[in-house]
Amino acid sequence: MTLPELLQLSGSYWSTCTLHAGVKLDVFTHLAGRPLTVSQLARLIAADERGLDMLLNALTAMDLLAKEEEMFRATPFSAAYLSTTSDTYMGHIIMHHHHLVEGWSRLDEAVKNGAPVRRRSSHEAGAAERESFLLGMFNLASLLAPKVAAQIDLSGRRRMLDLAGGPGTYAIHFCTRNPDLTAVVFDLPTTRPFAEQTVDRFGLSGRIAFSAGDITTDDIGTGYDVVWVSHLLHSEGPAACAAIVAKAAAALNDGGLLLIQEFILDDTRAAPLHPALFSLNMLVGTPAGKSYAQGELQDMMKAAGLRDTRRLEIELPNGAGIMAGTR
């Protein structure tokens, strides 16, 4: 690393916060419809003209807006992904990232004390923050689920459990890909409205049901041919994770398949970068969560009595991977 790169890294949050402000103030939605002057947009969003002028110019410098004389408009990219009128809107995950910023600014406290410094988005957050979290998970999963579902053979399997499945994105795409498959999405009661609305939007209410409960304390049922566990284990400590894996394995029929998707560290735990940073995100926000190494996940699966444990050869972004094992 060079000194200029170090300084760029140190100040990179400026660009992050500029993006977050643009999404939070909904400037992209207004500017996707038609170009506006600063004064026109300031009236629409009740903002100070001086501050808004600075924000719009910065977003233009970041190639998220275009400026022609005194008129600003969204670029095709920002209109597609940052306008609430777009079917490919990604603002929910960006707002989830925004809600994490305050906790990350206190990372040193979390490291010194070994304890979280913010509320858990899935359990303790207010309604707006929880909505950003759940719909943000839908944003991310919608990008990957079609690819994942297309590369995992579930032919001949009839019943799936999507454990801590949030809005049910993966259940939706697995069922879309496999016409004979039905699914149950198991998650906290507060998740039910988001899951049922999402499943209904895809026309799958007759094949995907919702079951409310807490994975760490409640019964999850049995008789499943597949249990899908996506980005759940990182929120818990090793003992709780081992218990979840054992519970998931016990829910399977003989010959059933357990699939675990996580940001997976290599066995040195010092790479890849995203899982290493994500582990710190769990330090900031959970009592015992962290990213796990491939060997750790495989050991949990073997301890749960699963055989043929392996990492599937599916290329995913940000160090994500899928572990598989058979009961």
Side-chain angles (χ1 to χ4, degrees), residues 25-310:
L25 293 171
D26 207 20
V27 302
F28 301 103
T29 301
H30 291 286
L31 296 177
R34 65 190 192 281
L36 296 170
T37 65
V38 173
S39 296
Q40 290 170 329
L41 183 57
R43 286 194 294 272
L44 288 173
I45 66 173
D48 173 76
E49 287 191 27
R50 173 175 172 269
L52 183 60
D53 182 63
M54 293 177 181
L55 176 65
L56 298 184
N57 281 307
L59 290 169
T60 301
M62 293 165 62
D63 293 325
L64 291 172
L65 294 177
K67 184 178 183 182
E68 297 165 2
E69 296 184 350
E70 297 306 313
M71 305 289 285
F72 291 89
R73 60 174 174 81
T75 64
F77 179 87
S78 62
Y81 295 110
L82 300 176
S83 169
T84 57
T85 61
S86 171
D87 291 338
T88 52
Y89 178 63
M90 296 296 290
H92 298 297
I93 188 60
I94 291 172
M95 287 309 301
H96 172 58
H97 291 157
H98 171 70
H99 291 134
L100 300 181
V101 169
E102 183 180 2
W104 269 90
S105 72
R106 299 169 60 196
L107 176 60
D108 59 317
E109 295 177 39
V111 170
K112 286 186 69 174
N113 299 323
V117 293
R118 63 171 174 82
R119 301 172 299 183
R120 295 181 70 173
S121 300
S122 58
H123 288 65
E124 302 157 352
E129 185 175 340
R130 185 167 59 249
E131 179 179 21
S132 293
F133 170 71
L134 290 171
L135 295 182
M137 297 306 102
F138 175 74
N139 280 163
L140 293 182
S142 294
L143 297 176
L144 298 178
K147 175 182 179 179
V148 169
Q151 294 187 67
I152 297 178
D153 182 10
L154 297 184
S155 56
R157 302 186 186 274
R158 296 291 181 265
R159 194 163 180 252
M160 164 180 274
L161 175 63
D162 188 353
L163 196 56
T169 318
Y170 280 96
I172 287 166
H173 286 280
F174 278 120
C175 284
T176 300
R177 188 79 185 183
N178 300 274
D180 295 327
L181 188 68
T182 64
V184 174
V185 177
F186 184 98
D187 212 319
L188 296 169
T190 51
T191 306
R192 182 188 292 274
F194 301 98
E196 292 182 342
Q197 290 167 18
T198 306
V199 169
D200 184 63
R201 192 189 321 161
F202 282 82
L204 289 169
S205 297
R207 293 172 55 200
I208 301 176
F210 185 88
S211 179
D214 186 324
I215 176 57
T216 60
T217 57
D218 294 329
D219 179 53
I220 62 173
T222 57
Y224 295 101
D225 299 309
V226 187
V227 176
W228 170 256
V229 185
S230 180
H231 294 301
L232 166 65
L233 298 185
H234 59 238
S235 62
E236 303 292 342
C241 281
I244 291 170
V245 172
K247 184 182 282 192
L252 288 167
N253 294 322
D254 288 342
L257 180 66
L258 176 62
L259 298 165
I260 298 174
Q261 180 173 232
E262 279 293 337
F263 298 121
I264 302 177
L265 289 163
D266 66 25
D267 288 336
T268 70
R269 299 195 307 280
L273 176 60
H274 186 81
L277 292 174
F278 196 83
S279 213
L280 289 174
N281 191 47
M282 293 299 98
L283 172 67
V284 167
T286 68
K290 64 171 189 169
S291 297
Y292 288 92
Q294 182 168 323
E296 292 177 298
L297 294 172
Q298 199 157 19
D299 287 345
M300 292 179 198
M301 298 173 79
K302 289 178 179 178
L306 298 173
R307 56 184 172 81
D308 190 25
T309 59
R310 64 206 183 278

